Amino acid sequence: MLDFDHHGLRGTEDDLAGLDAAGAKALETAARETLSRVQRRGGPSTGRYRLSAYDIPVRLADGSALLFNARTRSLILLSPEEAEAYHALRDGAGDGFEPGAVADRLLLQALLGGGHAVGAGVDELALVRQSYEAARAAPNSLTLTIAPTMACNFACGYCFQGLAKPTKKMTREVQDAIIAFVKAKKDLKSLSVVWYGGEPLMGKDSIFRLSDLLIAHCDKHKIGYSAGIVSNAWFLDGEMAAQLYARRVKWVQVTIDGDRDTHDRMRPLTSGGRTFDRILDNIEQSLDATPISIQARVNVGQSNVDGAGAMLDGFHARRLAQRGNFHVYFAPIEASTPESGSAFEEKLSRADFNRKVLALEGRARELGFAGIQTAPGGFSGLCVAASKGGYVVNGNGDVHKCWETAHDASKRTGSIFEPERLHESVNASLWEQWTPFDNATCSSCKILPMCGGFCAHRFIYASPGETALPCPSWKWNTAEYVFSRARSLGVVGADQWLPEEATVEAKQSGERQSPASLQASQARVLEKVGALRGRTLDRDMLFAGEAALETVPATEATPEPAVP
């Protein structure tokens, strides 16, 4: 047994990357010596145990196995004999097992130390929910996604806003209301700001003024401040990057959808002009001028997936990995709103997307555009929409909970000019009452402790016509990602991969979401909010938005109390 990726017994990745057979043996010997000392102090308790519900074993071709735990993020390598013993426990100890059922004390110690085995009375789902709710509440933290304008100079066919974008910019009055909103948070310990749009740099004056005022307030009151920006990079030259970095914008997300011709077809200017060369030139300038980190998001669909490899080669030719903090990740083109245009035709099945992206991710790692595959450090689904202290503020002062609704005034949760009422609307209640723990597929999922539902928007606004499912890539490539990490650390070789373990077929982490399961969650949210409001809410009202949700039918109005 080799415990190579657990916080209690792990070295650095540099130490382990070159681990060979002799090194593995030496590490195991050291672990056995450690165990011997532990056993002299009493060893494991004599209680009853059971295997963790969040264990994900990945069988290997030589009979050994990788064992990953999604709650603790522990990853261990089991020898063929240990793998056989582990599977015997899983197959025959449904009601738990005594310590004596495991003959190899080192194996038992590793299972207990990595959370692969827990006390028989431990409610792991309750522990995960407790952690999720604590992270969701974050009472002393505030996350603001601020859109200084929803205008954009690009005409991307799959945009969630569609092509009819507004042109107005944030007024001074809205800026002042945002500042007042932050200053009113007297117990605030950290403020995180994401600049968003539209194209936020079309409203750069608002970014500069708000940044200066927010940073000054946070510094004065010892409040942690951090910021990033989602930009198409058309205006992000070296000077602009320096201006942003001086205002503590440490990261930029830029979308690049393929090589020159592919990208220019998918992400042209509103005038029809090309954008690829200027974006790449700006990225080079920004990396050369500042320490800013740039993440290139590649939206992958039917028409560009096969050319994405050429794009990576082009990045390599520009020496982007050597210039600074430049990283690449891949995301599926999916229709998240009715306005999503070409996304309906571009969408790959999630199975096809994840099969093809695996090779692209591997190539990105080879070229230095991605690091070793790691599990998320927290709940991926705790975005601004799910966070209790997260808000999206538009240029006109409307407040939303999700980026995907920011263009639709009917789905706003309130106004920045009425901060005391931000949680009073029906739209606000929809977000507050949603939880992945109400969804049977999520509650039984082995990667729930990493995922946390992933995308609340897709549960609340599930529509059969869009069918954008929320399960993350870890759900589709569980075994592949576990194996990739072990291989990058030098613990397994390529010849140990077992094709039958491919997650698309094997589903090691459980069933995936479907349109039916999303609509069941949607119905549950409407039921909960309706109970709070003392009225019936249905899907038609949900999609009609604020006007329908806030109007109380006369037949359902609360009767006046009787006069005694």
Side-chain angles (χ1 to χ4, degrees):
M1 181 280 307
L2 177 59
D3 185 341
F4 65 90
D5 202 15
H6 177 248
H7 294 292
L9 285 173
R10 66 179 296 183
T12 67
E13 290 179 357
D14 288 340
D15 293 335
L16 294 170
L19 193 66
D20 56 14
K25 184 65 177 176
L27 185 56
E28 183 169 351
T29 299
R32 288 186 182 278
E33 291 174 354
T34 300
L35 176 61
S36 178
R37 290 194 297 272
V38 171
Q39 288 174 331
R40 287 196 293 271
R41 294 196 298 267
S45 71
T46 58
R48 191 168 179 80
Y49 303 107
R50 61 176 177 79
L51 295 179
S52 171
Y54 300 107
D55 257 5
I56 300 172
V58 178
R59 297 178 302 135
L60 301 177
D62 61 359
S64 60
L66 294 166
L67 185 59
F68 173 70
N69 188 277
R71 186 169 71 86
T72 64
R73 278 49 163 195
S74 172
L75 178 57
I76 63 178
L77 174 64
L78 302 178
S79 70
E81 296 76 20
E82 291 162 343
E84 184 178 354
Y86 176 85
H87 286 293
L89 279 178
R90 182 164 290 280
D91 295 339
D95 59 345
F97 60 90
E98 302 291 341
V102 183
D104 186 336
R105 301 288 283 176
L106 178 62
L107 175 60
L108 178 60
Q109 185 71 18
L111 294 178
L112 293 173
H116 303 280
V118 297
V122 172
D123 186 342
E124 287 186 284
L125 181 61
L127 293 177
V128 172
R129 183 164 194 162
Q130 184 180 37
S131 296
Y132 176 85
E133 296 297 347
R136 188 175 185 179
N140 303 120
S141 299
L142 178 63
T143 300
L144 293 180
T145 299
I146 303 175
T149 179
M150 293 302 289
C152 186
N153 57 328
F154 280 24
C156 310
Y158 55 74
C159 180
F160 75 101
Q161 291 190 92
L163 297 179
K165 299 179 180 70
T167 58
K168 292 184 179 179
K169 297 179 182 179
M170 182 176 283
T171 64
R172 180 67 67 95
E173 289 74 21
V174 174
Q175 296 173 38
D176 291 343
I178 292 172
I179 298 297
F181 178 66
V182 173
K183 288 183 174 180
K185 304 285 185 182
K186 300 302 181 185
D187 58 349
L188 192 62
K189 300 298 182 186
S190 68
L191 171 62
S192 176
V193 174
V194 178
W195 302 105
Y196 186 68
E199 170 46 47
L201 291 178
M202 292 180 73
K204 65 180 187 299
D205 292 342
S206 297
I207 294 176
F208 294 165
R209 179 173 184 263
L210 278 169
S211 295
D212 292 344
L213 293 172
L214 289 171
I215 290 169
H217 171 75
C218 288
D219 285 357
K220 179 177 181 179
H221 296 279
K222 296 180 172 58
I223 299 167
Y225 180 90
S226 62
I229 187 169
V230 179
S231 171
N232 62 31
W234 183 260
F235 302 103
L236 188 71
D237 57 17
E239 182 176 344
M240 177 61 71
Q243 290 270 24
L244 292 173
Y245 192 79
R247 291 170 171 88
R248 301 187 195 173
V249 173
K250 298 299 175 66
W251 59 265
V252 185
Q253 179 185 295
V254 178
T255 298
I256 305 172
D257 281 351
D259 58 15
R260 179 182 289 103
D261 290 341
T262 303
H263 174 93
D264 287 341
R265 173 177 54 79
M266 296 182 69
R267 296 180 64 80
L269 291 170
T270 52
S271 64
R274 290 176 171 266
T275 61
F276 181 86
D277 285 331
R278 176 161 167 169
I279 290 172
L280 268 294
D281 289 345
N282 281 347
I283 287 174
E284 288 183 354
Q285 289 185 37
S286 298
L287 294 174
D288 289 344
T290 73
I292 209 161
S293 175
I294 295 181
Q295 280 191 324
R297 172 186 171 120
V298 184
N299 293 319
V300 175
Q302 293 188 31
S303 67
N304 71 335
V305 64
D306 293 328
M311 173 200 70
L312 294 175
D313 292 338
F315 293 167
H316 181 64
R318 284 178 175 258
R319 302 182 69 253
L320 292 181
Q322 288 73 43
R323 287 179 180 274
N325 299 315
F326 180 79
H327 309 282
V328 177
Y329 77 100
F330 301 89
I333 294 176
E334 294 181 306
S336 57
T337 69
E339 297 83 11
S340 295
S342 64
F344 291 96
E345 292 76 43
E346 282 280 356
K347 180 177 183 264
L348 288 163
S349 74
R350 286 306 296 267
D352 285 344
F353 168 80
N354 285 285
R355 282 193 189 100
K356 294 186 176 185
V357 162
L358 272 172
L360 292 171
E361 290 174 337
R363 181 61 176 156
R365 278 192 291 274
E366 289 174 7
L367 297 176
F369 301 137
I372 292 175
Q373 184 64 250
T374 58
F379 294 96
S380 298
L382 278 178
C383 65
V384 63
S387 171
K388 302 289 187 185
Y391 305 90
V392 179
V393 187
N394 275 357
N396 64 0
D398 281 352
V399 175
H400 291 252
K401 286 297 291 181
C402 178
W403 301 8
E404 301 279 10
T405 71
H407 67 295
D408 186 349
S410 75
K411 294 183 176 64
R412 69 175 195 152
T413 58
S415 169
I416 196 66
F417 295 108
E418 297 179 300
E420 71 284 354
R421 302 188 62 188
L422 287 179
H423 296 271
E424 294 181 5
S425 68
V426 176
N427 275 330
S429 294
L430 292 171
W431 295 103
E432 290 170 359
Q433 292 302 312
W434 177 82
T435 170
F437 298 90
D438 281 345
N439 181 278
T441 304
C442 282
S443 292
S444 62
C445 178
K446 290 182 179 294
I447 66 163
L448 175 63
M450 303 191 307
C451 174
F454 197 62
C455 181
H457 179 271
R458 297 184 182 187
F459 288 90
I460 295 172
Y461 289 105
S463 170
E466 293 157 21
T467 61
L469 304 178
C471 293
S473 291
W474 261 92
K475 184 73 173 182
W476 290 89
N477 291 333
T478 313
E480 290 86 341
Y481 284 173
V482 169
F483 185 83
S484 172
R485 180 163 182 78
R487 185 182 175 191
S488 295
L489 293 173
V491 177
V492 298
D495 59 345
Q496 288 178 270
W497 172 249
L498 197 62
E500 301 93 287
E501 288 294 276
T503 305
V504 169
E505 288 82 20
K507 299 182 181 178
Q508 289 91 342
S509 55
E511 291 299 321
R512 305 178 186 103
Q513 296 291 348
S514 66
S517 67
L518 295 192
Q519 288 183 49
S521 282
Q522 185 183 75
R524 177 60 180 147
V525 170
L526 290 169
E527 177 187 14
K528 289 167 69 175
V529 176
L532 285 174
R533 303 279 167 162
R535 49 186 292 223
T536 300
L537 301 174
D538 60 33
R539 293 185 78 245
D540 290 341
M541 298 164 67
L542 177 69
F543 287 103
E546 185 179 46
L549 291 170
E550 297 292 347
T551 301
V552 181
T555 56
E556 296 186 9
T558 304
E560 293 291 331
V563 178

